[in-house]
Amino acid sequence: MALRTLLLRALLPLLAVSWITAAPAAAPCEGFKWDVADVRAVFASEPLALAAGRARDAAPRLESGRLYALQLAPQEAVSLIAPPAKKTLADGASAGLARVRIAQAGRYRVALDVPFWIDVLAAGQSLPSLDFNGDPACSAPRKIVVYALPAGEVWLQLSGHAGETVRLSVTAAP
């Protein structure tokens, strides 16, 4: 009994210190550096299922502020508008095209539930991203990229991931 008491007295402070100093794990979808409540609200809605375009003239038109589930095609079967800005997977990768009519120029968030590479193009030019945010433990969304989008037609080009579908939204940034 005395040995048990000695062991407990020796181990109890160590356990208490490790419990106090252990960093709590972030809950899924709380690892974003910005407030993403607006995007999370869109991702909580029922997505509209559409086939992503395999070519520019077959790309569906998306609306800002709505969630979509895009069915993608094998990357080699998609005529990308421009070479992806990042080298993407060749074997087994999926890709697709979509377009969004932007009524008012400004900052917009493109959000995805999986780690696809996304290029945003306007007037034939790839637009640089302004910022990136993500939480790999989250899929509602997992990744958000901010762009300064001009008014008019903007193209979304997804590539470089082995998944067959992607949930995606485009929303005005606060």
Side-chain angles (χ1 to χ4, degrees):
M1 192 65 119
L3 182 58
R4 184 182 290 176
T5 305
L6 279 172
L7 284 174
L8 280 174
R9 285 185 182 165
L11 291 176
L12 206 52
L14 293 174
L15 290 173
V17 168
S18 66
W19 179 74
I20 292 170
T21 59
C29 300
E30 291 183 4
F32 290 95
K33 61 184 177 182
W34 321 308
D35 178 8
V36 296
D38 58 335
V39 177
R40 298 246 320 120
V42 171
F43 267 74
S45 66
E46 188 67 30
L48 175 61
L50 296 173
R54 292 182 180 218
R56 189 178 186 129
D57 61 349
R61 178 168 284 148
L62 311 181
E63 296 175 19
S64 178
R66 182 159 194 183
L67 183 64
Y68 294 89
L70 295 180
Q71 180 68 39
L72 302 161
Q75 189 164 290
E76 64 274 5
V78 177
S79 297
L80 298 174
I81 298 169
K86 178 182 176 186
K87 185 176 179 176
T88 61
L89 296 173
D91 294 335
S94 297
L97 303 170
R99 56 190 165 159
V100 180
R101 174 142 315 270
I102 302 298
Q104 184 175 352
R107 293 169 48 104
Y108 287 82
R109 293 175 171 178
V110 179
L112 308 168
D113 70 334
V114 290
F116 266 98
W117 180 256
I118 183 158
D119 291 295
V120 177
L121 302 111
Q125 299 295 315
S126 185
L127 300 176
S129 64
L130 300 177
D131 204 354
F132 166 87
N133 200 347
D135 183 349
C138 186
S139 64
R142 174 190 170 103
K143 171 181 180 176
I144 302 172
V145 185
V146 178
Y147 295 91
L149 299 182
E153 192 123 276
V154 174
W155 294 89
L156 307 176
Q157 178 175 279
L158 300 153
S159 61
H161 183 70
E164 296 176 0
T165 62
V166 60
R167 288 185 306 144
L168 129 97
S169 71
V170 177
T171 56

